[in-house]
């Protein structure tokens, strides 16, 4: 029998992919399934971005690129950050990676080992905890609370830091809650981190361009006092509807950049060359499709929130970012994962049970509103009918 190293007994995964596979199987078998499970925009990548990739292929960009990514793309990332956020970043701090996930993989590998503690949001993106456990480090959940509108609390986060803490992971706008943490809270976190100079910070800002109600995105890049220990995670997947292209970037502090670049050399060598050219077109081309997509998500957000709040036993906060709602279903009497599974199998609606995002996700389900308004309305009717027919 093959015996892998013990860390593989601890690695987890993302149940959203399992739900997608099951929903696809059911649909293939002829069932009418509405998918509110998967976290990807239901839009196509803008055509000028696709053209840039095909043009790059036709022009012969078929070989390796530098591991860090091609310079024009890294420069385009810096220009985009300057344009959107008014913050200066040099191309030598930018690493191009195959998707947003890779940055968290690298950062957690750099700081995780037995005896180390890593703080991460709960409920939160499931790969944080999976990778922390893989490294043998101790996962320390930062509770993300509904009564706090799913923002993280700076005071609570700071109170969890011990001498063993090596890395703090924050995510705003957040998956799975749609929570956005206000500037004042981030100010307090950064102020408090001054007392812990040996702690690194990973800020997952992959939904940074998806905020509503006129809220400006609050990036941790705006705090020069932590730039020497801040790792920023961002990418093209959500903003430009490019989840399948596998394109992301990270900004690394000087002390870590070369370690991250070496991890790239040791694993994927470089991101697909044509995709990198598509990335330049996305950043430098017109942004109207991004704005139109976010405006459409905003309209659907209202439909989801209103529809869910009308159901007995369910309350739903208004998400301020990303494209998820995280309704509280405790009043229905159903356990969250059982409800998610029953909704898929019996009502034909794919959603994700809150516990797939952490222990504190019990009592909630995640709905992705990356689906048409018509389908969202239909799904809400199906959920209503299912709950009425199956009281707990
Ligand atoms: N970070 C968060 C919070 C996410 O929700 C996701 C994807 O769902 C990612 C990172 C990973 O993005 P990518 O698909 O680019 O790897």
């Amino acid at each position: 029998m093959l015996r892998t190293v013990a860390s593989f007994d601890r690695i987890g995964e993302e149940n959203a992919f399992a739900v997608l596979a099951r929903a696809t199987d059911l649909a293939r078998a002829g069932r009418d399934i509405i998918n509110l499970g998967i976290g990807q925009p239901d839009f196509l990548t803008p055509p000028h971005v696709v053209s840039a990739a095909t043009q790059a292929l036709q022009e012969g960009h078929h070989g390796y690129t530098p591991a860090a990514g091609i310079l024009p793309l890294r420069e385009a990332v810096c220009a985009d950050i300057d344009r959107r956020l008014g913050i200066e970043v040099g191309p030598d701090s930018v690493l191009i990676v195959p998707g947003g996930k890779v940055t968290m993989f690298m950062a957690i590998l750099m700081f995780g080992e037995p005896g180390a503690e890593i703080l991460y949001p709960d409920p939160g993106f499931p790969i944080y905890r999976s990778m922390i456990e893989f490294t043998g480090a101790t996962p320390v959940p930062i509770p993300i609370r509904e009564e706090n509108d799913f923002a993280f609390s700076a005071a609570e986060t700071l109170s969890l830091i011990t001498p063993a803490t090596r890395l703090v992971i924050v995510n705003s706008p957040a998956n799975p809650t749609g929570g956005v943490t206000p500037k004042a809270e981030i100010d307090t976190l950064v102020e408090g981190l001054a007392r812990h100079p040996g702690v690194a910070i990973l800020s997952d800002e992959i939904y940074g361009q998806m905020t509503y109600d006129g809220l400006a995105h609050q990036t941790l890049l705006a705090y020069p006092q932590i730039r020497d220990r801040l790792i920023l995670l961002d990418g093209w997947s959500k903003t430009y509807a490019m989840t399948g292209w596998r394109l992301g970037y990270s900004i690394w502090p000087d002390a870590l950049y070369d370690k991250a670049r070496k991890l790239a050399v040791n694993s994927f060598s470089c991101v697909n060359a044509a995709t990198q050219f598509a990335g330049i077109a996305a950043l430098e081309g017109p942004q109207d499709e991004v704005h139109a997509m976010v405006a459409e998500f905003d309209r659907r957000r209202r439909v989801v929130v209103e529809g869910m709040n009308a159901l007995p036993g369910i309350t739903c906060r208004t998400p301020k970012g990303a494209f998820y709602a995280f309704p509280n279903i405790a009043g229905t009497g159903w356990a969250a994962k059982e409800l998610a599974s029953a909704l898929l199998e019996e009502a034909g609606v794919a959603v994700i049970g809150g516990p797939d995002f952490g222990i504190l996700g019990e009592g909630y389900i995640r709905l992705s509103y990356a689906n048409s308004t018509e389908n969202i309305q239909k799904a809400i009717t199906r959920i209503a009918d299912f709950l009425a027919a199956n009281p707990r």
Side-chain angles (χ1 to χ4, degrees), residues 15-44:
N15 201 36
F17 281 98
V19 172
L20 176 64
R22 180 69 186 144
T24 308
D25 283 351
L26 288 172
R28 214 175 274 139
R31 291 277 308 277
D32 172 21
I33 304 293
I34 301 172
N35 196 339
L36 305 186
I38 193 69
Q40 69 179 340
D42 57 319
F43 294 89
L44 291 175

Side-chain angles (χ1 to χ4, degrees), residues 14 16-17 38-40 97-104 124-128 171-176 204-207 233-238 242-244 246-248 322-324 357 366:
E14 211 187 323
F17 281 98
I38 193 69
Q40 69 179 340
V97 287
K101 250 179 200 169
V102 179
T103 300
M104 68 185 75
F125 191 57
I127 300 305
Y128 304 140
N171 172 221
S172 174
N175 178 6
D204 182 343
E205 302 186 12
I206 198 130
Y207 297 101
L233 180 162
D234 206 335
W236 286 255
S237 295
K238 317 287 175 175
M242 290 178 75
T243 51
R246 309 313 300 139
L247 186 62
F323 42 73
Y324 308 109
F357 302 97
R366 187 191 79 173

Side-chain angles (χ1 to χ4, degrees), residues 211-217 298 301-302 320:
T211 53
Y212 308 111
D213 303 329
L215 275 181
H217 174 53
D298 188 7
R301 172 178 78 119
R302 295 159 201 274
K320 297 198 169 86

Side-chain angles (χ1 to χ4, degrees), residues 92-149:
D92 292 347
S93 304
V94 179
L95 187 74
I96 304 300
V97 287
K101 250 179 200 169
V102 179
T103 300
M104 68 185 75
F105 185 86
M106 288 179 165
I108 296 169
L109 277 187
M110 273 184 207
F111 292 101
E113 62 181 342
E117 293 177 5
I118 299 182
L119 275 52
Y120 70 102
D122 181 340
F125 191 57
I127 300 305
Y128 304 140
R129 184 178 176 115
S130 163
M131 274 305 297
I132 296 167
E133 291 192 328
F134 180 71
T135 65
T138 305
V140 179
I142 303 167
I144 304 296
R145 300 180 193 282
E146 181 181 2
E147 59 269 28
N148 206 16
D149 242 354

Side-chain angles (χ1 to χ4, degrees), residues 191-202:
E191 238 166 68
L193 284 170
R195 296 194 300 275
H196 308 285
V199 173
I201 305 118
L202 169 64

